[in-house]
Amino acid sequence: MNIKYVYILCLLFFFSSKTTVAQDSIVDLRSCLAIALRNNASLQQNQLSVQRANIDYKQARANGLPSLNADLSHSLSQGREIDPTTNQFIDENNSFGSQGLNARWQVFNGFGILHDVRMKAHAKTAGKLEFGGQENELRLAVIEAYVQVLTAKDMKEQAQRQLAVTAEQLRRAEVMFKEGAFPPGDFYDIKGQFKTDENMVLTQAQQLYANRTRLAALMQLPESELGTLQPIDMPVQVQEHDALALFEQAKSVLPKYQALDWRIKEAAQQIKVAQANYYPSLAIHAGLSSRYSSSSADSYFNQSKNNLGKSLGFTLNIPI
């Protein structure tokens, strides 16, 4: 069977199901996939990027709401100073305080806030799809490494069986050669084949270890903790697909390709955010403020009430 169909079948089977495995069980493909998804550092970093995109979207929506800020300050002074409650000079130790409450609402800015919200929404959706595509790529890499480990194991066992057959042939040839009933050329050919088979066993063992190391690296585990891998149960009948048909289906199903459309929409909204700077902007702002001075005989709360100031204004910005 062509190895590419093995990968495709494994993908269809494992992508369509969620896995729950024990922490100490690393024996089958499902366990390897679950541990790789849980331990992969790059995937964890990308997950944080998805969360950051969600926060940016919430902040963009909040930018359309009025802002409210409060401030409270208190200071001590010594020597000649201006009393903020009377605007007159005083020359004594004093303490001053101020309170303020300010509100601002961006009424219009060329729909820049609206386009920014849409841009961040598209970026959030694209980020989720890209994260799903990265998960699929990691799954595919684990499946490929898993199959390569099983293949290398089978190749090593086959090489060991061939070495056993050659060793038995060499044993019989040695007995017959000592009795003079075996041609010397054929005898040394068998001895050479035996050494070749020994080298093949060592080569396959090295390849098996290299494949196990690659699989363990994808799972962020030492090779010694990988354990014995179970064979993959394959269906008896395999449906073949045309390569072009599989590619077209992948473009419509795989999240990595879907994310490209959302990134294009994000870029279009980003252009509209920049174009909003060509339009006039209008903002409304209002505020409350008060002052306190220890030079006055009134209490702190009475001064805050008597020195209360109110403001209301509009800001119109017209780009020229």
Side-chain angles (χ1 to χ4, degrees):
M1 182 187 300
N2 197 323
I3 193 65
K4 68 178 182 180
Y5 296 120
V6 176
Y7 294 159
I8 294 172
L9 289 173
C10 293
L11 283 173
L12 294 176
F13 177 75
F14 288 100
F15 287 1
S16 61
S17 61
K18 297 182 179 179
T19 56
T20 304
V21 297
Q23 292 287 344
D24 57 350
S25 176
I26 313 175
V27 291
D28 57 1
L29 180 56
R30 188 185 299 274
S31 301
C32 293
L33 287 170
I35 293 174
L37 293 175
R38 183 174 64 245
N39 294 346
N40 188 268
S42 178
L43 205 62
Q44 294 175 358
Q45 182 179 2
N46 295 330
Q47 190 174 15
L48 294 177
S49 299
V50 174
Q51 296 176 1
R52 183 168 59 249
N54 188 33
I55 294 175
D56 292 340
Y57 169 68
K58 292 181 179 180
Q59 180 61 51
R61 294 186 59 183
N63 291 337
L65 302 176
S67 61
L68 181 64
N69 299 285
D71 63 88
L72 179 66
S73 64
H74 196 82
S75 61
L76 302 176
S77 66
Q78 183 179 12
R80 188 174 179 83
E81 188 71 39
I82 296 179
D83 190 334
T85 59
T86 61
N87 287 329
Q88 296 180 355
F89 284 99
I90 57 175
D91 192 1
E92 59 183 19
N93 296 336
N94 199 357
S95 61
F96 306 106
S98 64
Q99 310 86 35
L101 186 65
N102 299 283
R104 190 177 186 277
W105 180 36
Q106 186 72 45
V107 180
F108 180 78
N109 68 337
F111 301 106
I113 295 177
L114 176 62
H115 294 311
D116 185 61
V117 172
R118 292 176 179 176
M119 181 183 68
K120 297 298 173 54
H122 296 335
K124 182 183 71 169
T125 304
K128 290 182 178 179
L129 292 172
E130 290 171 348
F131 179 74
Q134 291 162 357
E135 284 185 327
N136 289 348
E137 291 178 357
L138 179 60
R139 289 190 181 101
L140 180 60
V142 171
I143 292 173
E144 181 182 6
Y146 193 97
V147 173
Q148 289 176 347
V149 171
L150 296 179
T151 303
K153 181 181 177 182
D154 293 340
M155 295 296 293
K156 178 185 175 183
E157 293 176 352
Q158 182 179 354
Q160 289 174 339
R161 289 192 294 267
Q162 180 62 42
L163 178 62
V165 172
T166 306
E168 179 63 21
Q169 292 177 351
L170 180 61
R171 185 187 65 81
R172 294 180 180 179
E174 285 178 342
V175 174
M176 298 176 65
F177 179 74
K178 290 179 182 180
E179 296 178 355
F182 201 88
D186 294 342
F187 172 72
Y188 288 110
D189 287 343
I190 295 178
K191 290 187 68 174
Q193 183 63 41
F194 178 77
K195 293 299 182 181
T196 301
D197 292 344
E198 280 187 331
N199 291 333
M200 181 59 67
V201 171
L202 294 176
T203 300
Q204 294 301 330
Q206 292 175 354
Q207 185 63 44
L208 175 59
Y209 179 78
N211 292 343
R212 286 175 58 88
T213 302
R214 178 172 179 265
L215 177 59
L218 292 172
M219 300 168 60
Q220 301 290 318
L221 291 176
E223 187 275 335
S224 58
E225 298 181 8
L226 191 56
T228 303
L229 304 185
Q230 294 181 355
I232 300 177
D233 295 331
M234 299 301 299
V236 178
Q237 297 181 352
V238 179
Q239 182 180 4
E240 296 188 4
H241 296 274
D242 180 71
L244 182 59
L246 285 176
F247 177 74
E248 294 297 331
Q249 184 179 3
K251 289 197 300 182
S252 61
V253 174
L254 293 181
K256 183 177 181 180
Y257 291 98
Q258 296 177 2
L260 296 176
D261 296 333
W262 289 100
R263 288 301 182 188
I264 294 174
K265 294 178 181 179
E266 177 192 0
Q269 291 298 324
Q270 189 174 8
I271 294 175
K272 293 182 179 180
V273 170
Q275 291 175 342
N277 295 325
Y278 291 110
Y279 293 89
S281 61
L282 176 63
I284 301 176
H285 52 85
L288 298 175
S289 62
S290 184
R291 297 179 178 87
Y292 162 81
S293 175
S294 61
S295 62
S296 175
D298 288 341
S299 64
Y300 183 90
F301 294 101
N302 287 336
Q303 290 188 57
S304 299
K305 181 176 65 175
N306 296 332
N307 296 327
L308 182 64
K310 304 176 183 179
S311 64
L312 176 65
F314 300 87
T315 301
L316 178 62
N317 183 15
I318 302 176
I320 299 177

